[in-house]
Amino acid sequence: MDRAILFRGLHGDGIDPTTMLAFGFIVLVAYTLGELAERIHLPHISGYLLAGVAAGPHFSGLLSASVVEGLKLFDILAIALIALEAGAALEWQALRARWKGVLALTTGMIVFCIIGGLAFAGITSGAVPLVGLPFLQGQSTGLVMAVGGLVGVMMLAASPPVTMAVISETKSKGNFTETILTTVIINNIQVVVLFAIAMGVAHSLTGSVPAHGGGSNAVIAQLLWSLGLGCAIGALVGAVLRFLRHDALLAVVGLCFVGSWIAGELGASPLLSFLTAGVFLNTATKRGTPFRKVASTLSGPVYVLFFTLIGADLHLDALQEMAPYAISLVLLRLVAYFAATRTAASLLPLPESVGHHGWLGLSPQAGIALTVAIGVGHEFPGWGERFEMLGLAAIALNEMVGP
Protein backbone atom coordinates (compact mmCIF):
# COMPACT_ATOMS: atom_id res chain seq x y z
CA MET A 1 0.00 0.00 0.00
CA ASP A 2 1.38 3.41 -0.96
CA ARG A 3 2.17 5.36 2.20
CA ALA A 4 1.76 8.61 0.30
CA ILE A 5 -1.88 7.74 -0.26
CA LEU A 6 -2.39 6.83 3.36
CA PHE A 7 -1.05 10.12 4.73
CA ARG A 8 -2.32 12.42 2.01
CA GLY A 9 -5.46 13.31 3.94
CA LEU A 10 -9.09 12.95 3.06
CA HIS A 11 -9.29 16.12 0.98
CA GLY A 12 -6.11 15.57 -0.99
CA ASP A 13 -7.41 12.70 -3.11
CA GLY A 14 -10.38 14.53 -4.53
CA ILE A 15 -13.02 12.79 -2.39
CA ASP A 16 -16.17 14.85 -2.91
CA PRO A 17 -18.67 15.77 -0.18
CA THR A 18 -21.29 13.40 -1.61
CA THR A 19 -18.97 10.46 -1.10
CA MET A 20 -18.24 11.50 2.47
CA LEU A 21 -21.98 11.88 3.07
CA ALA A 22 -22.52 8.35 1.74
CA PHE A 23 -19.76 7.05 3.97
CA GLY A 24 -21.30 8.74 7.00
CA PHE A 25 -24.64 7.14 6.19
CA ILE A 26 -22.99 3.73 5.79
CA VAL A 27 -21.29 4.10 9.18
CA LEU A 28 -24.69 4.83 10.74
CA VAL A 29 -26.11 1.75 9.03
CA ALA A 30 -23.14 -0.28 10.28
CA TYR A 31 -23.75 0.91 13.83
CA THR A 32 -27.43 -0.04 13.53
CA LEU A 33 -26.57 -3.48 12.16
CA GLY A 34 -24.12 -3.92 15.02
CA GLU A 35 -26.90 -3.25 17.51
CA LEU A 36 -29.16 -5.72 15.67
CA ALA A 37 -26.38 -8.33 15.70
CA GLU A 38 -26.28 -8.07 19.49
CA ARG A 39 -29.99 -8.93 19.58
CA ILE A 40 -29.24 -12.31 17.97
CA HIS A 41 -26.22 -12.89 20.23
CA LEU A 42 -23.56 -11.96 17.66
CA PRO A 43 -20.76 -9.41 18.18
CA HIS A 44 -21.36 -5.89 16.87
CA ILE A 45 -18.35 -6.47 14.63
CA SER A 46 -20.36 -8.87 12.46
CA GLY A 47 -22.86 -6.10 11.73
CA TYR A 48 -20.09 -3.64 10.87
CA LEU A 49 -18.51 -6.15 8.49
CA LEU A 50 -21.81 -6.88 6.75
CA ALA A 51 -22.51 -3.18 6.24
CA GLY A 52 -19.06 -2.72 4.75
CA VAL A 53 -19.46 -5.71 2.41
CA ALA A 54 -22.86 -4.46 1.20
CA ALA A 55 -21.53 -0.97 0.48
CA GLY A 56 -18.10 -1.97 -0.82
CA PRO A 57 -16.72 -1.88 -4.37
CA HIS A 58 -16.97 -5.67 -4.71
CA PHE A 59 -20.75 -5.71 -4.09
CA SER A 60 -22.99 -2.64 -4.48
CA GLY A 61 -20.24 -0.15 -5.30
CA LEU A 62 -21.65 2.62 -3.08
CA LEU A 63 -18.05 3.07 -2.00
CA SER A 64 -15.59 2.80 -4.87
CA ALA A 65 -12.20 1.13 -4.51
CA SER A 66 -10.44 4.53 -4.65
CA VAL A 67 -12.66 5.91 -1.90
CA VAL A 68 -12.07 2.88 0.33
CA GLU A 69 -8.34 3.29 -0.26
CA GLY A 70 -8.52 6.97 0.64
CA LEU A 71 -10.44 6.24 3.82
CA LYS A 72 -7.65 3.92 4.99
CA LEU A 73 -6.47 6.96 6.95
CA PHE A 74 -8.92 5.74 9.60
CA ASP A 75 -7.47 2.26 9.23
CA ILE A 76 -4.06 3.50 10.37
CA LEU A 77 -5.50 4.95 13.56
CA ALA A 78 -7.66 1.90 14.23
CA ILE A 79 -4.88 -0.68 13.86
CA ALA A 80 -2.48 1.36 15.98
CA LEU A 81 -5.00 2.09 18.73
CA ILE A 82 -6.43 -1.43 18.92
CA ALA A 83 -2.95 -2.97 18.91
CA LEU A 84 -1.85 -0.60 21.67
CA GLU A 85 -4.90 -1.56 23.69
CA ALA A 86 -4.25 -5.26 23.11
CA GLY A 87 -0.62 -4.95 24.18
CA ALA A 88 -1.53 -2.88 27.24
CA ALA A 89 -3.96 -5.63 28.23
CA LEU A 90 -1.13 -8.17 28.48
CA GLU A 91 -0.37 -8.54 32.16
CA TRP A 92 3.00 -10.07 33.03
CA GLN A 93 1.56 -11.46 36.23
CA ALA A 94 -1.12 -13.20 34.19
CA LEU A 95 1.51 -14.42 31.72
CA ARG A 96 3.71 -15.78 34.51
CA ALA A 97 0.71 -17.53 36.02
CA ARG A 98 -0.34 -19.00 32.67
CA TRP A 99 2.90 -19.32 30.72
CA LYS A 100 2.78 -23.11 30.64
CA GLY A 101 -0.77 -23.09 29.29
CA VAL A 102 0.01 -20.37 26.74
CA LEU A 103 3.16 -22.24 25.65
CA ALA A 104 1.17 -25.46 25.26
CA LEU A 105 -1.54 -23.70 23.26
CA THR A 106 0.81 -21.83 20.94
CA THR A 107 3.01 -24.90 20.40
CA GLY A 108 -0.03 -27.01 19.61
CA MET A 109 -1.28 -24.37 17.17
CA ILE A 110 2.08 -24.31 15.39
CA VAL A 111 2.29 -28.10 15.09
CA PHE A 112 -1.27 -28.73 13.93
CA CYS A 113 -1.38 -25.73 11.57
CA ILE A 114 1.88 -26.69 9.84
CA ILE A 115 0.69 -30.31 9.52
CA GLY A 116 -2.64 -29.05 8.21
CA GLY A 117 -0.98 -26.74 5.70
CA LEU A 118 1.27 -29.49 4.34
CA ALA A 119 -1.69 -31.87 4.13
CA PHE A 120 -3.78 -29.27 2.29
CA ALA A 121 -1.02 -28.61 -0.24
CA GLY A 122 -0.41 -32.33 -0.74
CA ILE A 123 -4.07 -33.13 -1.33
CA THR A 124 -4.67 -30.18 -3.69
CA SER A 125 -1.50 -30.87 -5.69
CA GLY A 126 -3.33 -33.63 -7.55
CA ALA A 127 -2.89 -36.47 -5.09
CA VAL A 128 -6.67 -36.69 -4.84
CA PRO A 129 -8.59 -36.52 -8.15
CA LEU A 130 -10.92 -33.56 -8.84
CA VAL A 131 -9.76 -31.46 -5.88
CA GLY A 132 -6.52 -30.05 -7.27
CA LEU A 133 -5.57 -26.39 -7.23
CA PRO A 134 -4.54 -25.34 -10.77
CA PHE A 135 -1.31 -23.68 -9.63
CA LEU A 136 -0.22 -26.80 -7.68
CA GLN A 137 -1.17 -29.62 -10.03
CA GLY A 138 1.82 -31.27 -11.65
CA GLN A 139 4.32 -29.13 -9.74
CA SER A 140 7.50 -30.30 -8.03
CA THR A 141 7.52 -31.73 -4.52
CA GLY A 142 9.62 -28.75 -3.40
CA LEU A 143 7.00 -26.24 -4.53
CA VAL A 144 4.18 -28.24 -2.92
CA MET A 145 6.08 -28.36 0.39
CA ALA A 146 6.88 -24.64 0.17
CA VAL A 147 3.21 -23.79 -0.37
CA GLY A 148 2.22 -26.16 2.45
CA GLY A 149 4.54 -24.48 4.91
CA LEU A 150 3.32 -21.01 3.96
CA VAL A 151 -0.32 -22.12 4.16
CA GLY A 152 0.41 -23.46 7.64
CA VAL A 153 1.86 -20.11 8.76
CA MET A 154 -1.14 -18.28 7.30
CA MET A 155 -3.52 -20.66 9.11
CA LEU A 156 -1.61 -20.06 12.33
CA ALA A 157 -2.13 -16.29 12.33
CA ALA A 158 -4.71 -15.10 14.85
CA SER A 159 -5.88 -11.49 15.27
CA PRO A 160 -5.25 -9.54 18.49
CA PRO A 161 -7.17 -6.48 17.20
CA VAL A 162 -10.33 -8.48 16.44
CA THR A 163 -10.00 -10.53 19.64
CA MET A 164 -9.47 -7.38 21.68
CA ALA A 165 -12.44 -5.72 20.00
CA VAL A 166 -14.73 -8.63 20.88
CA ILE A 167 -13.43 -8.71 24.47
CA SER A 168 -13.90 -4.96 24.84
CA GLU A 169 -17.37 -5.07 23.32
CA THR A 170 -18.58 -7.98 25.44
CA LYS A 171 -16.72 -6.72 28.57
CA SER A 172 -15.37 -10.23 29.11
CA LYS A 173 -13.07 -10.96 32.05
CA GLY A 174 -11.62 -14.00 33.76
CA ASN A 175 -9.26 -16.91 33.14
CA PHE A 176 -10.66 -17.75 29.71
CA THR A 177 -10.37 -14.17 28.41
CA GLU A 178 -6.86 -13.57 29.78
CA THR A 179 -5.59 -16.91 28.46
CA ILE A 180 -6.99 -16.33 24.97
CA LEU A 181 -5.79 -12.72 24.72
CA THR A 182 -2.29 -13.59 25.94
CA THR A 183 -2.15 -16.50 23.49
CA VAL A 184 -3.08 -14.42 20.42
CA ILE A 185 -0.55 -11.70 21.28
CA ILE A 186 2.26 -14.25 21.63
CA ASN A 187 0.93 -15.96 18.50
CA ASN A 188 1.51 -12.88 16.34
CA ILE A 189 5.15 -12.63 17.36
CA GLN A 190 5.57 -16.31 16.53
CA VAL A 191 3.91 -15.85 13.14
CA VAL A 192 6.38 -13.14 12.12
CA VAL A 193 9.34 -15.37 13.05
CA LEU A 194 7.88 -18.45 11.38
CA PHE A 195 6.98 -16.45 8.28
CA ALA A 196 10.63 -15.44 7.98
CA ILE A 197 11.68 -19.08 8.24
CA ALA A 198 8.97 -20.28 5.81
CA MET A 199 9.95 -17.67 3.22
CA GLY A 200 13.58 -18.70 3.39
CA VAL A 201 12.68 -22.39 3.10
CA ALA A 202 10.33 -21.64 0.18
CA HIS A 203 13.11 -19.88 -1.73
CA SER A 204 15.43 -22.80 -1.04
CA LEU A 205 12.90 -25.44 -2.13
CA THR A 206 11.85 -23.62 -5.30
CA GLY A 207 15.31 -22.36 -6.24
CA SER A 208 14.04 -18.78 -6.52
CA VAL A 209 15.84 -15.56 -5.69
CA PRO A 210 14.36 -13.18 -3.10
CA ALA A 211 12.53 -10.45 -4.99
CA HIS A 212 12.28 -7.77 -2.34
CA GLY A 213 15.47 -7.18 -0.53
CA GLY A 214 16.62 -10.30 1.17
CA GLY A 215 13.59 -12.51 1.77
CA SER A 216 13.72 -14.05 5.22
CA ASN A 217 16.48 -11.70 6.38
CA ALA A 218 14.22 -8.77 5.58
CA VAL A 219 11.43 -10.26 7.66
CA ILE A 220 13.77 -10.82 10.61
CA ALA A 221 14.90 -7.20 10.27
CA GLN A 222 11.23 -6.21 10.29
CA LEU A 223 10.77 -8.04 13.59
CA LEU A 224 13.76 -6.28 15.18
CA TRP A 225 12.72 -2.85 13.92
CA SER A 226 9.17 -3.48 15.17
CA LEU A 227 10.35 -4.39 18.67
CA GLY A 228 12.69 -1.38 18.91
CA LEU A 229 10.16 1.08 17.52
CA GLY A 230 7.46 -0.35 19.77
CA CYS A 231 9.54 0.28 22.89
CA ALA A 232 10.15 3.87 21.77
CA ILE A 233 6.46 4.48 21.09
CA GLY A 234 5.51 2.93 24.42
CA ALA A 235 7.93 5.23 26.23
CA LEU A 236 6.51 8.29 24.43
CA VAL A 237 2.91 7.33 25.18
CA GLY A 238 3.86 6.82 28.82
CA ALA A 239 5.41 10.31 28.91
CA VAL A 240 2.29 11.79 27.30
CA LEU A 241 0.04 10.17 29.88
CA ARG A 242 2.25 11.49 32.66
CA PHE A 243 2.85 15.08 31.54
CA LEU A 244 -0.07 15.88 29.18
CA ARG A 245 -2.98 14.40 31.03
CA HIS A 246 -5.61 16.84 29.74
CA ASP A 247 -4.42 16.58 26.12
CA ALA A 248 -3.51 12.90 26.23
CA LEU A 249 -6.23 11.80 23.80
CA LEU A 250 -5.09 14.12 21.01
CA ALA A 251 -1.43 13.36 21.65
CA VAL A 252 -2.02 9.59 21.54
CA VAL A 253 -3.88 9.92 18.22
CA GLY A 254 -0.97 11.93 16.84
CA LEU A 255 1.54 9.32 18.03
CA CYS A 256 -0.51 6.61 16.32
CA PHE A 257 -0.16 8.36 12.96
CA VAL A 258 3.49 9.35 13.43
CA GLY A 259 4.45 5.88 14.68
CA SER A 260 2.70 4.23 11.73
CA TRP A 261 4.56 6.51 9.30
CA ILE A 262 7.91 5.75 10.93
CA ALA A 263 7.13 2.01 10.84
CA GLY A 264 6.52 2.29 7.11
CA GLU A 265 9.78 4.14 6.56
CA LEU A 266 11.76 1.59 8.57
CA GLY A 267 10.04 -1.45 7.06
CA ALA A 268 8.63 -2.39 10.48
CA SER A 269 5.23 -3.93 11.11
CA PRO A 270 2.82 -1.32 12.54
CA LEU A 271 0.79 -4.07 14.20
CA LEU A 272 3.77 -5.59 16.01
CA SER A 273 5.23 -2.17 16.78
CA PHE A 274 2.10 -1.01 18.58
CA LEU A 275 1.56 -4.37 20.25
CA THR A 276 5.08 -4.05 21.64
CA ALA A 277 4.37 -0.43 22.60
CA GLY A 278 1.31 -1.52 24.57
CA VAL A 279 3.25 -4.22 26.40
CA PHE A 280 6.09 -1.76 27.17
CA LEU A 281 3.55 0.84 28.31
CA ASN A 282 1.93 -1.55 30.75
CA THR A 283 5.09 -3.16 32.12
CA ALA A 284 7.93 -0.63 31.95
CA THR A 285 6.06 2.65 32.44
CA LYS A 286 3.15 1.30 34.53
CA ARG A 287 0.75 3.50 32.51
CA GLY A 288 -1.46 0.75 31.15
CA THR A 289 -4.49 1.64 33.27
CA PRO A 290 -4.49 5.39 32.41
CA PHE A 291 -4.06 4.49 28.74
CA ARG A 292 -7.03 2.12 28.79
CA LYS A 293 -9.17 4.95 30.15
CA VAL A 294 -8.08 7.20 27.28
CA ALA A 295 -8.53 4.44 24.69
CA SER A 296 -12.06 3.66 25.89
CA THR A 297 -13.13 7.11 24.70
CA LEU A 298 -12.16 6.28 21.12
CA SER A 299 -12.76 2.53 20.95
CA GLY A 300 -16.45 2.66 19.97
CA PRO A 301 -16.21 4.83 16.84
CA VAL A 302 -12.83 3.32 15.92
CA TYR A 303 -14.28 -0.20 15.86
CA VAL A 304 -17.18 0.95 13.65
CA LEU A 305 -14.83 2.60 11.14
CA PHE A 306 -12.21 -0.14 11.16
CA PHE A 307 -14.48 -3.12 10.63
CA THR A 308 -16.77 -1.34 8.18
CA LEU A 309 -13.72 -0.59 6.03
CA ILE A 310 -12.50 -4.18 6.37
CA GLY A 311 -15.88 -5.37 5.10
CA ALA A 312 -15.80 -2.89 2.22
CA ASP A 313 -12.35 -4.11 1.21
CA LEU A 314 -13.20 -7.83 1.24
CA HIS A 315 -12.29 -9.41 -2.10
CA LEU A 316 -15.56 -11.11 -3.02
CA ASP A 317 -14.22 -11.90 -6.50
CA ALA A 318 -11.39 -13.94 -4.99
CA LEU A 319 -13.83 -15.53 -2.57
CA GLN A 320 -16.08 -16.66 -5.43
CA GLU A 321 -13.26 -18.13 -7.53
CA MET A 322 -11.54 -19.90 -4.65
CA ALA A 323 -14.66 -20.60 -2.57
CA PRO A 324 -14.40 -24.43 -2.31
CA TYR A 325 -10.72 -24.34 -1.38
CA ALA A 326 -11.17 -21.35 0.95
CA ILE A 327 -14.01 -23.05 2.80
CA SER A 328 -11.89 -26.18 3.15
CA LEU A 329 -9.00 -24.10 4.48
CA VAL A 330 -11.22 -22.33 7.02
CA LEU A 331 -12.61 -25.64 8.27
CA LEU A 332 -9.13 -27.18 8.38
CA ARG A 333 -7.90 -24.22 10.43
CA LEU A 334 -10.72 -24.65 12.93
CA VAL A 335 -9.94 -28.36 13.21
CA ALA A 336 -6.27 -27.54 13.83
CA TYR A 337 -7.19 -25.04 16.53
CA PHE A 338 -9.60 -27.51 18.11
CA ALA A 339 -6.92 -30.21 18.14
CA ALA A 340 -4.39 -27.76 19.63
CA THR A 341 -6.66 -26.64 22.48
CA ARG A 342 -7.81 -30.17 23.30
CA THR A 343 -4.23 -31.47 23.27
CA ALA A 344 -3.02 -28.62 25.48
CA ALA A 345 -5.90 -29.21 27.89
CA SER A 346 -5.06 -32.92 28.09
CA LEU A 347 -1.42 -32.19 28.94
CA LEU A 348 -1.92 -29.34 31.43
CA PRO A 349 -4.63 -28.33 33.91
CA LEU A 350 -6.04 -25.51 31.74
CA PRO A 351 -9.38 -23.92 32.61
CA GLU A 352 -12.14 -26.24 31.40
CA SER A 353 -13.60 -23.45 29.25
CA VAL A 354 -10.30 -23.11 27.35
CA GLY A 355 -10.16 -26.82 26.61
CA HIS A 356 -13.73 -26.90 25.32
CA HIS A 357 -14.17 -23.48 23.70
CA GLY A 358 -10.70 -21.95 23.37
CA TRP A 359 -10.50 -22.79 19.67
CA LEU A 360 -13.47 -20.49 19.03
CA GLY A 361 -11.84 -17.62 20.91
CA LEU A 362 -8.67 -18.03 18.84
CA SER A 363 -10.43 -18.26 15.45
CA PRO A 364 -10.69 -14.55 14.40
CA GLN A 365 -8.22 -13.64 11.67
CA ALA A 366 -7.36 -10.39 9.92
CA GLY A 367 -4.29 -8.15 9.72
CA ILE A 368 -1.18 -10.29 10.03
CA ALA A 369 -2.70 -13.13 7.99
CA LEU A 370 -3.29 -10.60 5.20
CA THR A 371 0.36 -9.58 5.52
CA VAL A 372 1.41 -13.21 4.99
CA ALA A 373 -0.86 -13.72 1.96
CA ILE A 374 0.10 -10.45 0.28
CA GLY A 375 3.79 -10.93 1.13
CA VAL A 376 3.84 -14.31 -0.64
CA GLY A 377 2.10 -12.79 -3.66
CA HIS A 378 4.77 -10.09 -3.93
CA GLU A 379 7.71 -12.39 -3.27
CA PHE A 380 6.83 -15.20 -5.70
CA PRO A 381 5.51 -14.03 -9.08
CA GLY A 382 3.20 -16.56 -10.69
CA TRP A 383 2.15 -19.13 -8.13
CA GLY A 384 2.50 -16.60 -5.32
CA GLU A 385 -0.24 -14.47 -6.84
CA ARG A 386 -2.59 -17.46 -6.87
CA PHE A 387 -1.60 -18.22 -3.29
CA GLU A 388 -2.49 -14.63 -2.39
CA MET A 389 -5.93 -15.01 -3.98
CA LEU A 390 -6.55 -18.22 -2.02
CA GLY A 391 -5.38 -16.54 1.18
CA LEU A 392 -7.57 -13.48 0.67
CA ALA A 393 -10.60 -15.70 0.10
CA ALA A 394 -9.98 -17.75 3.25
CA ILE A 395 -9.25 -14.66 5.34
CA ALA A 396 -12.42 -13.00 4.03
CA LEU A 397 -14.43 -15.94 5.36
CA ASN A 398 -12.56 -15.89 8.67
CA GLU A 399 -13.20 -12.15 9.01
CA MET A 400 -16.92 -12.77 8.61
CA VAL A 401 -17.36 -15.81 10.86
CA GLY A 402 -14.43 -15.45 13.28
CA PRO A 403 -15.84 -12.68 15.51
Side-chain angles (χ1 to χ4, degrees):
M1 188 182 298
D2 190 348
R3 291 190 296 274
I5 292 176
L6 292 178
F7 290 96
R8 185 180 296 158
L10 294 179
H11 62 280
D13 202 26
I15 298 178
D16 58 55
T18 304
T19 299
M20 294 307 298
L21 179 63
F23 179 67
F25 176 74
I26 290 163
V27 168
L28 289 175
V29 172
Y31 182 81
T32 302
L33 286 177
E35 293 296 319
L36 292 175
E38 185 180 19
R39 298 289 182 89
I40 57 175
H41 306 291
L42 289 175
H44 289 191
I45 294 169
S46 299
Y48 307 155
L49 288 168
L50 286 173
V53 169
H58 305 290
F59 192 74
S60 68
L62 289 176
L63 294 175
S64 67
S66 61
V67 169
V68 172
E69 187 70 20
L71 292 171
K72 290 296 180 69
L73 186 69
F74 296 115
D75 213 10
I76 295 173
L77 173 61
I79 290 174
L81 188 64
I82 296 173
L84 262 172
E85 195 173 359
L90 179 62
E91 299 283 351
W92 282 110
Q93 289 183 345
L95 180 59
R96 283 196 296 267
R98 297 176 175 83
W99 72 269
K100 291 182 180 179
V102 171
L103 179 61
L105 284 169
T106 54
T107 302
M109 290 163 65
I110 291 171
V111 171
F112 286 106
C113 284
I114 296 298
I115 291 174
L118 292 171
F120 177 84
I123 292 171
T124 57
S125 67
V128 178
L130 304 179
V131 295
L133 276 166
F135 72 91
L136 277 182
Q137 287 184 316
Q139 298 298 326
S140 66
T141 302
L143 177 58
V144 172
M145 292 182 64
V147 170
L150 290 166
V151 167
V153 174
M154 186 173 64
M155 288 171 55
L156 176 64
S159 176
V162 178
T163 302
M164 189 64 204
V166 173
I167 290 172
S168 178
E169 178 186 316
T170 57
K171 297 180 174 60
S172 300
K173 293 181 179 179
N175 287 336
F176 178 86
T177 298
E178 292 181 1
T179 300
I180 294 300
L181 181 58
T182 303
T183 299
V184 297
I185 293 172
I186 300 300
N187 164 273
N188 268 215
I189 298 173
Q190 292 173 329
V191 167
V192 172
V193 176
L194 289 172
F195 183 45
I197 296 171
M199 290 285 273
V201 171
H203 279 297
S204 177
L205 290 173
T206 60
S208 58
V209 177
H212 296 281
S216 60
N217 290 334
V219 182
I220 294 173
Q222 180 189 61
L223 173 63
L224 297 177
W225 277 119
S226 300
L227 294 176
L229 178 62
C231 292
I233 294 172
L236 287 173
V237 174
V240 162
L241 293 170
R242 181 178 180 182
F243 298 109
L244 300 175
R245 295 180 183 178
H246 298 296
D247 299 315
L249 180 61
L250 182 61
V252 168
V253 170
L255 282 173
C256 286
F257 284 116
V258 172
S260 297
W261 179 79
I262 294 174
E265 292 297 311
L266 295 177
S269 163
L271 177 63
L272 280 176
S273 295
F274 283 97
L275 275 172
T276 303
V279 174
F280 186 90
L281 182 67
N282 196 39
T283 56
T285 71
K286 307 299 182 184
R287 296 286 169 178
T289 300
F291 170 75
R292 287 192 289 271
K293 292 180 180 178
V294 172
S296 65
T297 307
L298 278 174
S299 60
V302 163
Y303 292 159
V304 176
L305 291 170
F306 179 55
F307 292 105
T308 300
L309 287 173
I310 284 180
D313 206 29
L314 286 179
H315 293 253
L316 298 182
D317 49 349
L319 179 59
Q320 182 178 2
E321 182 175 346
M322 291 287 188
Y325 304 104
I327 292 171
S328 300
L329 202 54
V330 169
L331 294 175
L332 182 62
R333 179 173 179 266
L334 291 176
V335 170
Y337 276 30
F338 177 80
T341 53
R342 296 295 290 179
T343 301
S346 68
L347 296 175
L348 294 172
L350 293 175
E352 185 177 354
S353 56
V354 174
H356 285 94
H357 307 297
W359 60 284
L360 291 172
L362 296 167
S363 63
Q365 192 176 49
I368 200 165
L370 287 170
T371 301
V372 172
I374 294 171
V376 174
H378 289 171
E379 191 72 19
F380 299 97
W383 66 265
E385 295 166 1
R386 307 299 294 177
F387 179 101
E388 179 181 352
M389 185 176 294
L390 171 65
L392 291 175
I395 295 164
L397 286 174
N398 280 318
E399 286 176 345
M400 292 302 298
V401 304

